[in-house]
Amino acid sequence: MRSRRTIGNRTLLVAMSAVGLLAMTASASAWPSEPLLGAEQPAQVRPLAGETVTLAAVGDICGSACDQTDDVVAAMGADAVITAGDNAYNSGTRSEFDHNYDPYWGRFNHMVHPSPGNHEYYSDAVGYDDYYRDNGVEIGNRGEYYYSFDLGAWHIVSLNSNISARSGSAQERWLRQDLERNTKPCTMAYWHHPRFSTGSHGDSGRMTDVYQALTDYRADVVVAGHDHSYERFAPATVDGTEDAANGLRQFVIGTGGRGLYSSRESSDGPSEVFQNNTFGVGRFELSATGYDFTFEPVSGREFTDRVSGECHNANQGPDFGVGTDPATVSVARDGSVASTVSVTASGGFGSSVDLAVSGLPDGVTGSFDPSTVTPPADGTAESRLTLTASATAPVGEYTATVTGTSGQLRRSAELGISVRPGGEVVFADDFESDRGWVVDPAGTDTAGTGQWDRGVPEQTRSDYSGQLKQLGTAASGQNCLSTGRRAGWSYGEHDVDDGTTSIASPAISLPAGAPTLTFSYSLGHGDNSTREDHLRLSVRVGGAVTTVFDRAGSPAEVEAGWQRATVDLSAFAGRQVSLLIEAADAATPSLFEAQVDQVEIRN
């Protein structure tokens, strides 16, 4: 019989000793009503039904970047963690769990609720079963690996998309019985193969019948993995028809650490947001009436996504929600940008809502048009929020809060704001046309392969780590600079090898003042890289070369991904300069790829 647990009260973790041992203190009532399987572990104690619960959700984990995503989970202070399969690559063996997964994600064994992926079944799920049972983690009956548990006001179901889930199967029958017994107002399910996906694998029909069962019982959320990307879908029925009143909202969160996929397929599902260039973890704030979701990226990356939803079976009174589209905007000094603020009514709400924005950085103002909206019953009203940045607004990344107020009701949404240097554009190149950059300007380059090349890049994925090392898309448009833009799979094939490659911009006359350079770059390399390898940007004035940006290699697998850099060029104001971009495989041969795009100088 599959386990079904209700867990209450708050976890208390106490750090002990230099080796990082954890002790758990809690009252006897904090322990589950049935014993944990396997080795003794801290009790999985959770908030009571009336409290808000923080749940971390992600799949396709270890992988190469799970030493980053584990820090995301730790930072969010999660009460529980669910995994959507492919937890330990490449085959889910016990050795891979012990050496790839445990050093980073093993610290969550006291709160993790896993589900298996297809890679676990490359070893018949033996490693999956042995590792989690030995660490006291519930995974359901041997060979079945489906189970459920209660978390606060939510009933959560872990299913197995690697075995039969068709109508009448043991898993589908168990699910319907489990849902029939459920008394919680909100329900979430998770498994590996997504019903809908525009990622490389596309839609899967494996879980069609359990998706229908969940819809029949008015469940709310499904989380899946398998495609190494992030995607959010609108609430939908099993055939992909949007249905806010009855449909399931599905998230594909295959961004736990395995190399991200770049190709796309079509989907029958109503996709709302897709990204495949950022590792990260889904964060759910689960209340008794709904959820607030945030995609939280790994350190150094900027992509995020936010959405809220209400539970179909919750007792909802008149209410409204607030959203922003886009949820992140970029504004230049002396410039403006707009985001659409939506106010969506529910439960018969029909009153006016006053809008306000707070948390804006100094020098940035916001205005609504209109400032008060009245949504129709169970409908949506919109307002245009215009943000204007002054010439002195501080450059940086900020988060503002958009709030709607109606009587005693206050609802809000976050808005990410990036303030960029403003003023006169002195030089800009998106590499969509030839602006006169020169490869090997000094005639001293030594790289045998991977010389700088302008054009449409081709994707390079390492056959050793599975990571993307060169992105197949530019930061904007179609073209960018790449170190050998052709695709390659092995060392010495189109990546930088045997030395240095450089490329110089045409002459640029910097005016007096405070010119600022911004540009996009991507850097990917293998674990045979060294600190002598580098991506470097310098400013040339006559015969003098000054390095202003430097990223060195390291003996680690680093995956490619577009990032944005800002450099103060005030020291060169009033001079004629050129930019010199250099990439080097400078020591032992290694896999080293670099790309540059969106170069801009403003004053």
Side-chain angles (χ1 to χ4, degrees):
M1 180 176 181
R2 258 60 63 188
S3 174
R4 208 165 170 273
R5 296 182 299 177
T6 301
I7 307 171
N9 297 335
R10 178 76 61 178
T11 303
L12 174 62
L13 294 177
V14 181
M16 297 179 60
S17 82
V19 297
L21 296 174
L22 293 177
M24 179 70 68
T25 60
S27 67
S29 63
W31 288 84
S33 57
E34 57 189 285
L36 295 173
L37 300 173
E40 183 176 341
Q41 291 288 312
Q44 299 189 9
V45 287
R46 300 291 176 256
L48 297 170
E51 299 179 51
T52 296
V53 181
T54 300
L55 175 71
V58 71
D60 304 273
I61 301 171
C62 295
S64 54
C66 66
D67 60 343
Q68 301 175 56
T69 52
D70 67 323
D71 290 335
V72 177
V73 175
M76 71 174 65
D79 296 296
V81 179
I82 61 174
T83 70
D86 285 2
N87 305 288
Y89 283 89
N90 188 46
S91 302
T93 64
R94 179 58 188 266
S95 176
E96 287 169 336
F97 269 100
D98 287 340
H99 295 95
N100 300 346
Y101 179 96
D102 190 74
Y104 307 108
W105 280 70
R107 56 174 161 164
F108 307 125
N109 281 340
H110 66 287
M111 67 173 72
V112 73
H113 303 270
S115 65
N118 59 296
H119 279 262
E120 271 80 32
Y121 274 79
Y122 288 178
S123 57
D124 296 323
V126 173
Y128 175 90
D129 191 291
D130 288 348
Y131 173 81
Y132 283 121
R133 290 192 193 282
D134 287 351
N135 285 280
V137 177
E138 180 186 9
I139 54 175
N141 286 354
R142 193 178 303 275
E144 296 178 343
Y145 309 123
Y146 48 86
Y147 58 97
S148 67
F149 60 97
D150 291 333
L151 187 67
W154 282 69
H155 184 60
I156 302 181
V157 186
S158 176
L159 297 172
N160 186 354
S161 61
N162 300 278
I163 64 174
S164 177
R166 294 297 185 187
S167 179
S169 67
Q171 183 170 205
E172 191 264 354
R173 293 197 310 271
W174 171 86
L175 173 63
R176 287 188 175 273
Q177 294 169 358
D178 180 78
L179 296 174
E180 182 68 29
R181 295 192 303 268
N182 174 41
T183 60
K184 297 295 183 180
C186 307
T187 301
M188 176 188 296
Y190 60 102
W191 58 76
H192 187 59
H193 299 83
R195 173 65 190 95
F196 305 113
S197 175
T198 60
S200 295
H201 292 298
D203 293 350
S204 172
R206 291 170 177 256
M207 304 298 277
T208 299
D209 292 334
V210 299
Y211 191 107
Q212 183 61 58
L214 291 162
T215 305
D216 291 345
Y217 283 89
R218 294 175 59 77
D220 305 289
V221 173
V222 167
V223 174
H226 197 44
D227 268 324
H228 300 181
S229 51
Y230 166 77
E231 190 163 15
R232 163 164 60 89
F233 289 83
T237 57
V238 69
D239 64 357
T241 302
E242 286 195 43
D243 187 343
N246 302 293
L248 294 165
R249 183 187 291 282
Q250 184 200 260
F251 297 84
V252 178
I253 316 177
T255 52
R258 184 65 164 178
L260 301 171
Y261 294 162
S262 63
S263 60
R264 300 283 299 273
E265 299 289 338
S266 60
S267 173
D268 291 333
S271 179
E272 294 181 318
V273 176
F274 177 92
Q275 75 83 23
N276 59 351
N277 61 13
T278 302
F279 292 116
V281 179
R283 173 178 181 153
F284 288 92
E285 297 292 335
L286 305 175
S287 72
T289 58
Y291 61 90
D292 294 314
F293 172 86
T294 305
F295 179 89
E296 297 201 354
V298 296
S299 177
R301 304 309 301 271
E302 298 178 357
F303 172 82
T304 189
D305 182 42
R306 297 179 178 89
V307 71
S308 299
E310 296 175 340
C311 298
H312 297 321
N313 291 326
N315 182 19
Q316 303 286 357
D319 206 345
F320 67 91
V322 175
T324 56
D325 185 20
T328 301
V329 296
S330 178
V331 60
R333 286 171 169 172
D334 275 334
S336 297
V337 70
S339 179
T340 298
V341 177
S342 59
V343 176
T344 302
S346 62
F349 180 87
S351 302
S352 61
V353 178
D354 298 324
L355 298 173
V357 59
S358 59
L360 295 174
D362 293 340
V364 177
T365 59
S367 61
F368 292 91
D369 182 21
S371 59
T372 300
V373 298
T374 303
D378 297 323
T380 299
E382 294 182 344
S383 175
R384 182 180 178 86
L385 171 59
T386 300
L387 301 177
T388 302
S390 70
T392 58
V395 173
E397 308 298 322
Y398 306 93
T399 300
T401 301
V402 177
T403 301
T405 303
S406 180
Q408 299 300 311
L409 293 176
R410 290 172 60 87
R411 301 291 181 262
S412 61
E414 290 185 342
L415 178 64
I417 302 171
S418 174
V419 179
R420 298 183 288 106
E424 173 192 5
V425 176
V426 177
F427 176 82
D429 196 350
D430 58 6
F431 301 102
E432 296 306 303
S433 61
D434 186 356
R435 295 290 305 277
W437 291 72
V438 177
V439 176
D440 191 12
T444 56
D445 287 359
T446 55
T449 62
Q451 293 87 357
W452 284 109
D453 187 13
R454 182 188 70 85
V456 178
E458 297 179 5
Q459 175 183 295
T460 292
R461 186 184 299 276
S462 169
D463 56 359
Y464 168 70
S465 67
Q467 287 184 344
L468 291 179
K469 300 301 183 183
Q470 177 171 284
L471 300 173
T473 56
S476 68
Q478 295 185 329
N479 296 332
C480 66
L481 294 180
S482 301
T483 50
R485 65 182 182 86
R486 298 293 299 278
W489 287 77
S490 61
Y491 306 137
E493 187 178 22
H494 305 307
D495 66 307
V496 185
D497 271 322
D498 302 324
T500 301
T501 177
S502 62
I503 187 169
S505 73
I508 304 168
S509 296
L510 297 180
T516 301
L517 165 69
T518 59
F519 61 97
S520 296
Y521 73 96
S522 173
L523 180 64
H525 59 71
D527 60 8
N528 57 353
S529 181
T530 68
R531 292 198 59 81
E532 284 73 26
D533 299 343
H534 60 261
L535 169 63
R536 185 175 294 163
L537 189 146
S538 303
V539 176
R540 296 196 312 178
V541 181
V545 178
T546 303
T547 298
V548 295
F549 174 89
D550 195 350
R551 292 291 183 270
S554 63
E557 291 292 322
V558 172
E559 187 156 36
W562 285 113
Q563 302 180 63
R564 194 75 175 158
T566 301
V567 178
D568 183 1
L569 298 183
S570 299
F572 308 98
R575 312 287 293 275
Q576 186 175 72
V577 305
S578 65
L579 304 178
L580 180 68
I581 303 173
E582 179 182 271
D585 178 13
T588 57
S590 62
L591 176 59
F592 194 85
E593 298 271 16
Q595 295 169 278
V596 173
D597 201 1
Q598 294 178 309
V599 176
E600 182 179 82
I601 300 175
R602 287 178 176 263
N603 189 44

